[in-house]
Amino acid sequence: MVTNILVAGVGGQGILLTGKLIAQTACLAGFDVKTSEIHGMAQRGGSVVTHVRYGERVYSPVISPGTADFLLAFEKLEGRRSLPFLKPGGLVILNDYALPPLPVAVGLEAYPSDTEEYIAQRFPLLLIDALKEARLHGGDPRMANVLLTGVLAAFTGIPRETWEEALERSVPPRFLEGNRKAFARGFELGAAYRQKMAEGVVDQCGTPRRSACPGRS
């Protein structure tokens, strides 16, 4: 069995570091790991996508459309664009953050206003204000990528201690303590949501069980 994780966002959000952290964790857990990175103007807000695949044996580094188990999206529109990679029932962990691309910034296009609803009608959605949470719990909004990784970690089945060891190996010592706190907060949020799903408090689309699942009959 292979686990497929797609990380999507824009340049400057720490996408590549996040991919390396996930891969490092999977390696420490004893899995075969393959990664692939696709990015344009990574330093100027261009799209950045990292594919991470791990399992007993992995042959290709690229996630095929319709097979991703998790989509970790650091920007809302990039998350929406990446939905075709998810398998049915795949989980979307979405940062509540919008960075309009150039065509929107110059007035040629409009930024979609219904992204959360669009995603929730199709896949389980966990929406996180990662910048706010990272600032409150890690002391720096730039740690949002590690906080979101903590959310993801709660769903993977890999022990938390393994993730924390990978974090220690990936982050410079002077930034480690804040990143530990950000990761811990993310893991807490992810574990709480997972428990709600297990208890039936939310349905497979992340909506309250008393409501119909959006977009599904």
Side-chain angles (χ1 to χ4, degrees):
M1 179 179 177
V2 175
T3 297
N4 297 313
I5 301 173
L6 190 76
V7 186
V10 297
Q13 289 190 296
I15 308 299
L16 303 184
L17 174 61
T18 298
K20 291 177 181 177
L21 176 56
I22 297 169
Q24 174 78 277
T25 301
C27 284
L28 291 173
F31 293 109
D32 183 26
V33 184
K34 297 288 189 299
T35 66
S36 176
E37 300 169 354
I38 303 172
H39 52 90
M41 298 176 64
Q43 299 302 316
R44 295 187 177 274
S47 296
V48 181
V49 178
T50 294
H51 298 232
V52 182
R53 309 186 71 223
Y54 65 85
E56 183 176 342
R57 187 64 176 164
V58 180
Y59 295 96
S60 171
V62 178
I63 299 172
S64 299
T67 65
D69 299 282
F70 302 100
L71 169 58
L72 185 59
F74 287 31
E75 197 278 333
K76 292 195 286 187
L77 184 56
E78 295 300 325
R80 180 169 179 162
R81 289 172 173 170
S82 300
L83 291 180
F85 282 95
L86 274 173
K87 70 180 185 181
L91 176 65
V92 180
I93 300 170
L94 182 67
N95 186 15
D96 190 7
Y97 174 72
L99 180 63
L102 183 60
V104 174
V106 300
L108 297 178
E109 298 179 7
Y111 193 97
S113 61
D114 63 341
T115 294
E116 297 99 308
E117 293 81 2
Y118 181 89
I119 295 174
Q121 288 171 359
R122 292 160 175 81
F123 297 97
L125 170 64
L126 177 49
L127 185 67
I128 302 288
D129 188 342
L131 294 173
K132 175 183 176 181
E133 292 289 344
R135 184 176 63 253
L136 290 175
H137 298 275
D140 190 333
R142 291 175 296 180
M143 296 175 183
N145 62 326
V146 173
L147 186 137
L148 288 167
T149 304
V151 177
L152 169 72
F155 292 90
T156 61
I158 297 176
R160 176 172 174 173
E161 295 78 13
T162 306
W163 285 95
E164 291 171 341
E165 181 180 351
L167 185 64
E168 291 180 5
R169 296 188 181 199
S170 303
V171 175
R174 66 183 184 277
F175 300 125
L176 184 56
E177 186 58 31
N179 276 287
R180 279 175 174 161
K181 292 178 180 179
F183 177 87
R185 175 55 176 168
F187 194 94
E188 177 186 3
L189 292 170
Y193 183 82
R194 186 184 62 185
Q195 183 63 30
K196 287 181 180 179
M197 293 184 73
E199 294 174 351
V201 176
V202 294
D203 62 22
Q204 62 178 338
C205 288
T207 55
R209 182 59 72 176
R210 64 179 179 273
S211 302
C213 185
R216 299 181 187 274
S217 57

